[in-house]
């Protein structure tokens, strides 16, 4: 195999010295981490390498020599460097050389073919690959396919080619701690040799994070204890809490915040990203909520909303009444059964009358209620949207009731019809065997059965029409609520920190690498530049997506149509496995 | 022709072919060193005729709508749509040229450059490559051949996890694949046989795309030694065999 020498770009202008790094024999590649400059004492260099090896579990060694000469005629340096090969023995021994001011490089890799010091040496072909040390250190490789669990554990041992390079650089951080202003015994050149990178803001934030997290964690534990107390347990209240999507959203946010301010250290880079994503998402949510609040307060919108709410509810009720009057007449030219029509129509009209009275009773208090609910928008835009969804479902409660009545009636009718149809044909449903069996009925059973069957079948169009109308209305309301929930879900689960990182620091999230062939000169080794290939945005969202409430419709279109046809009640979303009424 | 010795300059070569739809392709070969090769395939450019035709159709339709509705917003909307559509097409769909860079014992890199300058790169490490073969697919009424790389399955040592077609944007005619790509690496490549690989997932009449295969349903497990088949298998993987000499 061709020998690959990974050389950091920060060392290309460094003075002559020794190459320090890791040799990976399986891929025949030498990863150069730093350059040790003259003057140095070999014993101290060996001590330093032993320390680094112990601290980082990376087998760092002296790989060869680096020569950055001014002219061609610095022979003494050349011989001196060759002599170093005897001091630090390493197979193969790398000799990289560059002429100052020009782009011509030369490299040689020699290997002794026998144990004796005078054994013949053979040269390997060398290929230079330049890499940006800082970017490789900070980036995180995302393998394209998810490895099965049993392989993930020993991934470090059998890391494929480039993952080994990334791994080596990432784990050798302790080697990069000393810069050239330190008074240590050994002078190194690496990406941090001009000064260790740090930021005052980050350091201050780290110091302040401890006490703040502790405080917030206490506060949140108090809140969760209060919400789990026995006062809120009894049946009517717990039933209401499980229905309202606001409570669901608040609970979800509480869980997320507890995770963020927990004082445990993050388990790994995935956990860290998740914490960061959650924090940014919560902050953005609150910022949007405050924006909404300020907009609502600006022109006294609460009063306008409250004033508009009651007339809107009245208008909806009026439209429903018109609809029922139309159904009670001859809708779309169809002829309904007069008696059933009148009964159903009057029943639903009375319901609407009750509902309107209820709304009018509540109207003086609506503004205050809205104002107090609007305050909760400072907890986040998602909470405000959940409240909106709850208000919509409360205001359209009568439509929901009508749908349930219509569906139950229709369902009863369909079941009755199917059973009487079987009787009509002389068959029966065998509950024990779960199949249709033949059965001999008495004459009076057959007579009554046939009568009931005809009655039901002639009343079917009326019931079916009421059912159809109210189902459509209910589906409309469900669609509106579904859109609101979709928006809430989006805000909850979008990994904004990861997307921001991908936008501003694309090398941090790497899908792989890409190579570029640099200028080639005859007789010189091949030089390649290794750059980081960033992860596409779609993959970033897919990998770092936050878990959401899981309020997605669980039915396929086929099962939905089937349920609609048979009159079974449909529940568009289930929240965390709670059963709805 | 054999590759030049180590002392010569990078060798460049250019030839022109035609793809399955009749457009002109240009293959540009560069030989950097004994273990580094680059093939660059340039696709036919966007033709003025088709661009004019699409623009005229869209604008005529908009004008027709305008005479019906008397709303001038339709015309501005049509211009907007044409511009956005053209930009989107150039940035996301139209590939200008594709490059295949093969580096010994590192891997294979495929780059697609779009007409707007965007480049998307994929790098496959040599350790993951199982083989390079010529695969056939049925596209509408004809059979087309394309070069593709087989990737190893991490779970099963003899299985295949993915089939990656090289040069997705242009499908060259088979003879050209044989002549230029393979013979430049392996001078004594002579015979060829059709139908080495039957890949059931590629039967649908669409452009061949990345198709994840189950290891046990793929028929590309080492082909039986039957006359020409074995010869093609040995001859069709010179790209990797030559470069991967231990």
């Amino acid at each position: 195999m061709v020998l690959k020498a990974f050389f950091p770009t920060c060392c290309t202008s460094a003075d002559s010295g020794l190459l320090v790094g890791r040799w990976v024999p399986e891929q025949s590649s030498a990863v150069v981490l730093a350059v040790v400059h003259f003057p140095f004492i070999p014993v101290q260099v060996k001590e330093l390498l032993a320390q680094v090896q112990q601290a980082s579990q990376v087998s760092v060694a002296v790989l060869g020599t680096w020569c950055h000469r001014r002219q061609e005629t610095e022979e003494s340096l050349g011989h001196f460097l060759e002599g170093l090969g005897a001091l630090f023995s390493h197979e193969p021994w790398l000799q990289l050389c560059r002429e100052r001011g020009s782009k011509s490089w030369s490299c040689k890799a020699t290997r002794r073919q026998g144990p004796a010091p005078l054994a013949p040496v053979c040269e390997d072909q060398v290929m230079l690959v330049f890499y940006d040390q800082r970017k490789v250190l900070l980036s995180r490789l995302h393998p394209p396919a998810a490895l099965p669990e049993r392989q993930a554990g020993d991934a470090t041992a059998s890391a494929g080619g480039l993952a080994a390079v990334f791994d080596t650089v990432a784990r050798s951080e302790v080697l990069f701690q000393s810069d050239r202003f330190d008074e240590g015994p050994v002078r190194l050149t690496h990406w941090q040799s001009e000064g260790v990178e740090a930021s005052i803001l980050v350091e201050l934030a780290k110091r302040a994070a401890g006490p703040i997290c502790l405080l917030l964690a206490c506060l949140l534990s108090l809140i969760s204890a209060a919400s789990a107390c026995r006062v809120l347990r009894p049946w009517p209240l717990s039933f209401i809490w499980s229905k309202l999507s606001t409570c669901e959203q608040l609970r979800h946010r509480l869980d997320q915040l507890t995770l963020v301010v927990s004082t445990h250290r993050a388990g790994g880079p995935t956990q860290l990203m998740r914490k960061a994503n959650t924090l940014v998402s919560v902050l953005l949510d609150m910022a949007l909520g405050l924006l909404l609040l300020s907009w609502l307060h600006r022109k006294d919108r609460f009063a306008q909303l409250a004033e508009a709410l009651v007339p809107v509810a009245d208008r909806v009720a009026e439209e429903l009444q018109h609809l029922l009057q139309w159904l009670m007449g001859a809708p779309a030219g169809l002829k309904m059964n007069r008696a059933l029509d009148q009964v159903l129509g009057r029943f639903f009209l009375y319901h609407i009358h009750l509902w309107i009275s209820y709304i009018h009773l509540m109207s003086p208090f609506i503004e205050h209620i809205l104002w107090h609910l609007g305050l909760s928008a400072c907890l986040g835009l998602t909470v405000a949207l959940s409240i909106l969804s709850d208000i919509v479902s409360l205001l359209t409660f009568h439509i929901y009731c009508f749908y349930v009545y219509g569906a139950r009636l229709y369902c009863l009718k369909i079941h009755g019809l199917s059973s009487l149809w079987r009787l009509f044909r002389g068959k029966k449903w065998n509950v024990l065997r779960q199949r249709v069996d033949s059965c001999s009925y008495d004459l009076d059973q057959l007579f009554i059965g046939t009568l009931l069957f005809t009655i039901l079948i002639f009343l079917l169009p009326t019931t079916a029409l009421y059912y159809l109308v109210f189902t459509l209305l209910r589906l409309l309301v469900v669609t509106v609520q579904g859109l609101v929930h979709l928006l809430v879900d989006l805000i909850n689960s979008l990994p904004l920190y990861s997307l921001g990182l991908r936008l501003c620091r694309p090398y941090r999230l790497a899908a792989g690498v890409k190579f570029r062939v640099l200028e080639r000169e005859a007789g010189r080794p091949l030089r390649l530049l290794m750059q980081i290939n960033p992860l596409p945005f779609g993959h970033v969202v897919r990998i770092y997506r936050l878990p959401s409430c899981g309020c997605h419709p669980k039915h396929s279109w086929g099962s939905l149509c089937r349920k609609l046809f048979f009159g079974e009640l449909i529940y568009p979303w289930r929240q965390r496995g709670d059963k709805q009424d | 022709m054999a590759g030049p010795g180590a002392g010569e300059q990078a060798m460049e070569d250019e030839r022109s072919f035609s793809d399955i739809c009749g457009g002109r392709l240009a293959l540009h070969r560069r030989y950097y060193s004994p273990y580094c090769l680059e093939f660059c395939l340039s696709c036919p450019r966007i033709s003025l005729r088709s661009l004019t035709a699409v623009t005229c159709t869209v604008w005529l339709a908009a004008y027709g709508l305008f005479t019906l509705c008397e709303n001038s917003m339709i015309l501005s909307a049509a211009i907007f749509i044409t511009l956005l559509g053209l930009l989107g097409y150039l940035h996301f769909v139209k590939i200008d040229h594709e490059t295949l860079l093969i580096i010994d014992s590192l891997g294979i890199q495929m780059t697609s450059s779009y007409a707007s300058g965007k480049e998307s790169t994929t790098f496959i490490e040599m350790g993951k490559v199982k083989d390079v073969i010529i695969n056939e697919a049925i596209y509408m009424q004809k059979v087309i051949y394309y070069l593709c790389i087989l990737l190893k399955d991490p779970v099963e040592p003899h299985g295949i996890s993915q089939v990656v077609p090289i040069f997705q944007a242009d499908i060259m005619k088979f003879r050209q694949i044989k002549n230029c790509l393979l013979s430049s690496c392996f001078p004594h490549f002579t015979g060829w046989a059709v139908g080495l690989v039957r890949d059931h997932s590629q039967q649908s009449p669409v452009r061949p795309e990345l198709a994840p295969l189950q290891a046990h349903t793929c028929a590309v497990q080492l082909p039986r030694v039957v006359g020409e088949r074995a010869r093609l298998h040995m001859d069709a993987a010179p790209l990797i065999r030559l470069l991967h000499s231990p």
Side-chain angles (χ1 to χ4, degrees), chain A residues 1-2 4 6 27 125-127 129 144 147-148 150-151 160-163 513-517 520-523 526 528 533, chain B residues 6-10 31-36 38 101 103-106 109 119-123 125 128 154-155 244-246:
Chain A
M1 259 200 256
V2 179
K4 300 171 281 276
F6 289 89
Q27 279 106 36
Q125 293 271 1
V126 185
M127 188 160 62
V129 182
L147 290 170
R150 65 179 168 83
Q151 286 209 356
L162 293 159
V513 294
K514 51 189 179 193
F515 289 92
R516 194 157 66 96
V517 182
R520 178 99 207 285
E521 280 179 39
L526 182 69
L528 298 167
N533 203 11
Chain B
E8 294 181 22
Q9 291 280 352
Y31 188 93
Y32 288 112
S33 90
Y35 37 83
C36 183
E38 187 181 55
L101 178 69
I103 309 168
D104 180 22
S105 75
L106 255 187
Q109 174 171 291
E119 285 195 1
S120 89
T121 320
T122 322
F123 180 74
E125 289 182 52
K128 294 209 183 106
V155 176
H244 206 44
S245 49

Side-chain angles (χ1 to χ4, degrees), chain A residues 417-474:
Chain A
L417 270 175
S418 57
S419 141
L420 288 173
W421 171 245
R422 279 183 229 121
L423 178 138
F424 200 61
R425 285 164 36 225
K427 297 206 190 294
K428 189 180 83 149
W429 173 253
N430 193 339
V431 185
L432 219 58
R433 299 259 180 121
Q434 296 287 313
R435 65 168 189 204
V436 178
D437 276 341
S438 64
C439 168
S440 60
Y441 290 100
D442 294 337
L443 194 64
D444 49 353
Q445 283 176 329
L446 277 176
F447 185 59
I448 296 190
T450 314
L451 260 182
L452 283 174
F453 177 73
T454 34
I455 291 175
L456 282 179
I457 215 167
F458 287 132
L459 290 179
L460 185 64
T462 316
T463 327
L465 193 71
Y466 273 91
Y467 172 64
L468 185 73
V469 168
F470 292 130
T471 309
L472 285 175
L473 281 174
R474 172 81 183 137

Side-chain angles (χ1 to χ4, degrees), chain B residues 123-192:
Chain B
F123 180 74
I124 304 176
E125 289 182 52
M126 207 53 107
K128 294 209 183 106
V129 173
K130 190 174 164 77
D131 210 344
V132 174
I133 55 165
I134 299 178
N135 197 8
E136 66 175 12
I138 298 187
Y139 180 65
M140 304 238 208
Q141 82 285 6
K142 52 190 170 200
V143 177
I144 55 170
Y145 305 94
Y146 59 98
L147 205 61
C148 56
I149 305 177
L150 298 177
L151 300 183
K152 285 187 188 153
D153 197 1
V155 176
E156 209 178 311
H158 292 299
I160 295 170
S161 73
Q162 265 188 356
V163 173
V164 181
I166 314 180
F167 299 136
Q168 288 200 29
D170 348 279
I171 318 287
M172 297 200 315
K173 296 207 173 125
F174 184 66
R175 201 165 290 139
Q176 286 129 23
I177 298 180
K178 172 197 84 138
N179 284 341
C180 63
L181 278 173
L182 300 178
S183 61
S184 61
C185 291
F186 217 41
H188 59 270
F189 180 75
T190 49
W192 49 274

Side-chain angles (χ1 to χ4, degrees), chain A residues 168-368:
Chain A
T168 309
V169 178
R171 289 198 285 172
S172 318
E173 261 199 82
V174 70
L175 186 64
F176 306 134
Q177 294 298 337
S178 62
D179 55 22
R180 67 186 174 99
F181 302 107
D182 283 346
E183 297 292 332
V186 179
R187 232 175 20 112
L188 292 168
T189 301
H190 46 72
W191 71 282
Q192 274 190 336
S193 53
E194 294 298 320
V196 176
E197 270 193 8
S199 149
I200 290 185
L201 290 173
V202 171
E203 294 299 317
L204 281 175
K206 279 191 193 163
R207 296 255 186 268
I212 291 182
C213 281
L214 213 58
L215 187 67
L216 283 174
C218 293
L219 209 65
L220 286 172
S221 59
L222 274 173
I223 295 178
S224 30
S227 70
C229 80
R230 298 186 61 97
V231 173
L232 301 172
R233 281 285 164 192
W235 182 78
L237 283 174
S238 71
F239 180 72
I240 294 178
W241 298 145
S242 67
K243 288 289 157 285
L244 293 176
S245 59
T246 316
C247 299
E248 204 57 45
Q249 176 64 20
L250 282 172
R251 204 180 305 164
H252 181 70
R253 277 288 183 232
L254 200 66
D255 286 339
Q256 279 186 334
L257 280 174
T258 324
L259 179 72
V260 169
V261 302
S262 74
T263 43
H264 303 298
R265 291 225 74 141
T270 325
Q271 290 259 3
L272 202 65
M273 289 291 263
R274 182 168 285 195
K275 274 194 175 184
N277 279 325
T278 318
L279 186 67
V280 172
S281 159
V282 168
L283 286 176
L284 182 76
D285 199 16
M286 288 194 182
L288 285 174
L290 286 171
L291 221 79
L292 181 70
L293 203 62
S294 72
W295 177 79
L296 282 175
H297 273 284
R298 195 172 306 159
K299 291 197 193 151
D300 203 16
R301 295 259 158 89
F302 280 116
Q304 286 178 3
L305 268 176
E307 274 172 26
L309 204 63
V310 174
V312 163
D314 270 344
R315 181 82 199 285
V316 169
E318 228 182 85
E319 292 297 321
L320 269 179
Q321 277 174 336
H322 283 305
L323 185 69
L324 282 167
Q325 298 287 356
W326 179 67
L327 282 176
M328 275 159 69
L334 297 168
K335 194 161 188 307
M336 316 294 287
N337 181 285
R338 192 134 207 81
L340 185 62
D341 219 357
Q342 296 284 328
V343 162
L344 285 176
R346 289 221 187 99
F347 179 61
F348 291 136
L349 276 172
Y350 182 61
H351 259 87
I352 295 179
H353 171 77
L354 275 179
W355 187 250
I356 289 297
S357 330
Y358 172 67
I359 294 274
H360 280 267
L361 212 68
M362 290 269 293
S363 60
F365 307 112
I366 289 210
E367 191 183 336
H368 291 285

